[in-house]
Each structure stands twice: as structure tokens, then as C-alpha cells.
Amino acid sequence: MIHQEAYMLAVPIKPGHMDALRTTLARMTHPSVAENALLPFGQLQRVHFARFLILDEGKSHDGTPCPASLVFSTCYDPPFETHLTELMDVGETGLRAAFAHCEGFDES
């Protein structure tokens, strides 16, 4: 069996950006994932699966407020540095489009 690793990033969504973020993510749901112009998941050779998830604002198990967040997760063939390089080579446009709606996004 091939050794796989997982990666997950969760980032709070900027206030007032939820609708725009949902629109951006909807553009990534082309019936043929290889034809998805923003993030062509089908072209990722080392990724077994990848997904975006929006977590609505809520509270943690102890009642602490949790902001609405964008989660991006992947299951990939290591090493991690090669995974990140492939993500950026194939999906930089889509990753930037999605995370531009998140706190701390830096255009550079």
C-alpha cells in the first residue's frame, strides 16, 4: 500500500465575504474536474483527494465562539514540499481566488 499523508488548513473568512466565497467555490464544481479552470483537481498527480469546506460561525464544545472558516484538505503522496509545489503549479489561481476571502490573505 502506498504511504499517504494528510494536510488541512482552516482560515477564518473575512466578514462580508461569504457570498463571494461561495460563488468562487461554485466555479470549481465543473462536472469534469480536469476542466475546472480555477483549480483543475484532475491534473493533480500526487493528490488522492482534495476538498474545500465552509464551516459556519458557531461555538466549540466548550462554548468558545468560532468564526466562519474555509477549510482546505488533501490526502497526498509525500513529501510535503513536493505536494505544495504541485498545488501551486496546478492550482495557484484557484487557491488565491478562494483564500482571498480569508483573514490574513497576502497577495504576495
Side-chain angles (χ1 to χ4, degrees):
M1 176 178 248
I2 296 173
H3 173 75
Q4 299 171 9
E5 294 184 6
Y7 173 73
M8 185 182 82
L9 175 66
V11 185
I13 299 167
K14 293 176 184 175
H17 281 249
M18 184 65 77
D19 289 342
L21 174 58
R22 288 184 191 280
T23 298
T24 298
L25 295 179
R27 292 176 53 208
M28 295 182 191
T29 60
H30 189 282
S32 170
V33 293
E35 297 300 321
N36 171 348
L38 280 178
L39 205 168
F41 293 103
Q43 293 178 20
L44 296 168
Q45 298 298 308
R46 303 176 66 83
V47 173
H48 298 270
F49 76 83
R51 71 178 51 137
F52 283 102
L53 172 70
I54 293 176
L55 295 177
D56 291 327
E57 183 178 343
K59 294 187 178 185
S60 70
H61 66 281
D62 66 358
T64 305
C66 296
S69 298
L70 176 63
V71 177
F72 178 66
S73 67
T74 61
C75 180
Y76 65 93
D77 295 333
F80 182 66
E81 293 77 16
T82 303
H83 173 56
L84 288 181
T85 298
E86 182 185 39
L87 281 175
M88 293 309 292
D89 288 348
V90 172
E92 181 175 4
T93 299
L95 292 169
R96 286 183 176 279
F99 286 104
H101 299 289
C102 296
E103 298 287 342
F105 176 77
D106 180 353
E107 200 54 47
S108 63

